[in-house]
Amino acid sequence: MGFWEVTLSLLGGLEYTCLIFALTLVLALPLGLVISFGSMSKFKPLAYVVKTFVWIIRGVPLMLQVIIFFYVPGFLFGTPVLSRFASVVAAFVINYACYFSEIYRGGIESIPKGQYEAGQVLGMTKTQVFFKVVLLQVIKRIIPPMSNEIITLVKDTSLARTISVYEIIWKGEAFIKSDGLLWPLFYTGIFYLLFNGLLTVIFGKLEKKLDYFKS
């Protein structure tokens, strides 16, 4: 098995890795914000339910959640409700939304209440104050922890192979079974390093653009 053949095969797996990554971000980022509002709600029963849900999701391994999403509906209804790929995406979105919600919550609660009061004095609604005054400051403060979670997400995509979704690690492992080759599995590490290197550069530039917001 030649180098280029292995590379092309791994690139095929990388396509699924990137798709899982992109769908998780697009769906989990806004969902995490919604969950954070629920956990900060002044309606105590709602806040309690949301916080308990977040605690459960953050406390159970993501790999187990992927398995639950795919296999448990099959046991209950006699047939899988979601495809393998959809099960992976659903598990990832809910898991990362809960982690993101805690980052959002910490960022929102770190903004002095005086800024909300000042905005209301100027005739702005609470919604206007949040989106026009507070949100960009929150983004500035949550970029470092958020970037760590997103980089972790890149590596966590390898858990998709648990239910035979053919991402890049699965492709690398396939060469061990079919050709007795171990090096393609280690070669996948180069793809992860390049992916995470690109994300590190992007987040670094984003932080610099938001430097005018002083903590």
Side-chain angles (χ1 to χ4, degrees):
M1 182 65 67
F3 176 80
W4 291 113
E5 290 174 288
V6 170
T7 300
L8 288 174
S9 179
L10 294 182
L11 285 173
L14 183 63
E15 181 180 350
Y16 275 94
T17 294
C18 291
L19 192 54
I20 294 168
F21 172 82
L23 288 173
T24 300
L25 274 192
V26 168
L27 299 173
L29 285 172
L31 179 58
L33 186 60
V34 173
I35 293 173
S36 71
F37 289 147
S39 65
M40 293 185 293
S41 174
K42 292 182 180 179
F43 183 56
K44 296 301 181 182
L46 174 62
Y48 176 77
V49 169
V50 173
K51 287 180 179 179
T52 301
F53 177 74
V54 170
W55 171 71
I56 292 172
I57 295 298
R58 294 176 70 199
V60 175
L62 178 54
M63 183 176 71
L64 184 57
Q65 293 174 40
V66 170
I67 293 172
I68 288 172
F69 265 88
F70 182 67
Y71 288 108
V72 170
F75 286 128
L76 294 177
F77 305 109
T79 181
V81 174
L82 298 174
S83 67
R84 294 178 188 273
F85 183 79
S87 298
V88 167
V89 172
F92 272 64
V93 168
I94 292 175
N95 182 275
Y96 272 86
C98 288
Y99 277 97
F100 290 158
S101 73
E102 288 298 284
I103 296 174
Y104 283 131
R105 184 180 62 80
I108 293 170
E109 292 180 345
S110 70
I111 304 299
K113 292 183 178 179
Q115 296 200 27
Y116 292 92
E117 295 168 354
Q120 290 174 346
V121 168
L122 294 173
M124 301 170 71
T125 65
K126 289 184 178 180
T127 302
Q128 289 175 324
V129 172
F130 179 78
F131 285 102
K132 294 184 177 181
V133 178
V134 174
L135 186 58
L136 285 178
Q137 297 179 68
V138 170
I139 292 173
K140 162 67 177 176
R141 299 185 184 201
I142 67 174
I143 286 295
M146 193 68 80
S147 64
N148 286 337
E149 287 298 328
I150 291 174
I151 287 173
T152 299
L153 169 59
V154 175
K155 295 177 287 184
D156 276 351
T157 56
S158 63
L159 295 176
R161 76 187 191 283
T162 304
I163 56 171
S164 299
V165 173
Y166 304 152
E167 47 69 60
I168 190 169
I169 290 290
W170 190 95
K171 290 286 187 178
E173 289 180 333
F175 286 104
I176 299 176
K177 301 172 184 177
S178 63
D179 302 284
L181 297 176
L182 184 60
W183 68 266
L185 180 60
F186 293 106
Y187 182 29
T188 62
I190 301 297
F191 291 86
Y192 284 106
L193 286 172
L194 292 174
F195 198 159
N196 285 327
L198 177 61
L199 290 175
T200 301
V201 171
I202 291 173
F203 283 119
K205 290 184 176 181
L206 185 55
E207 283 190 66
K208 287 183 179 179
K209 284 189 176 182
L210 294 172
D211 274 346
Y212 53 84
F213 286 111
K214 303 298 180 182
S215 299

